[in-house]
Amino acid sequence: MTDSKYHKTFEKDVFATGNGIKLVEAKPGYAKSVMEIKSDHYNSVGIVHGGALFTLADFTFAVASNSHGRVALAIDAEISFFKATSSGTLTAVAKEISLNGKLGTYLVEITNEADEHIAHFKGTVYRKKDKIEFE
């Protein structure tokens, strides 16, 4: 269950919400988001655009990495695509795999409704001293 403090803070991400991404669950070092595929997510051949998948993964990564209450900004991100998709709902789950004073590394898995792997994302953040005041 998502703590409402995370939901209120991260729903301000107008790019993610404008792309139909919804935060489902969050806790320190972890986040889960979903995106229902719509026609505006398609590329020119009628499958989900890689940028839409990256946006879903990146938002989920941002929630997990900022969930500790310190501003965390991406310094590196990469994605691998495994399976094309064009309908249904995609789920992204971000898990913290390494955290120290200044750096954090996260893995994000994107799956479809059949629990098939669609994409794998790895990102590293720089953790600033600035605090995040969750609402």
Side-chain angles (χ1 to χ4, degrees), residues 88-103:
T89 299
L90 299 176
T91 300
V93 174
K95 295 180 182 175
E96 188 173 83
I97 60 169
S98 176
L99 182 68
N100 65 43
K102 294 193 185 227
L103 298 175

Side-chain angles (χ1 to χ4, degrees), residues 71-121:
V71 173
L73 302 172
I75 58 171
D76 179 61
E78 63 182 59
I79 193 166
S80 297
F81 305 107
F82 303 127
K83 183 175 179 71
T85 189
S86 59
S87 64
T89 299
L90 299 176
T91 300
V93 174
K95 295 180 182 175
E96 188 173 83
I97 60 169
S98 176
L99 182 68
N100 65 43
K102 294 193 185 227
L103 298 175
T105 302
Y106 298 79
L107 294 179
V108 182
E109 299 294 338
I110 298 176
T111 56
N112 63 13
E113 293 169 314
D115 206 30
E116 297 171 309
H117 289 286
I118 303 301
H120 172 90
F121 172 106

Side-chain angles (χ1 to χ4, degrees), residues 35-42 47-48 85-90:
M35 181 179 74
E36 182 183 343
I37 298 170
K38 298 191 175 179
S39 61
D40 57 349
H41 293 125
Y42 295 156
I47 60 175
V48 175
T85 189
S86 59
S87 64
T89 299
L90 299 176

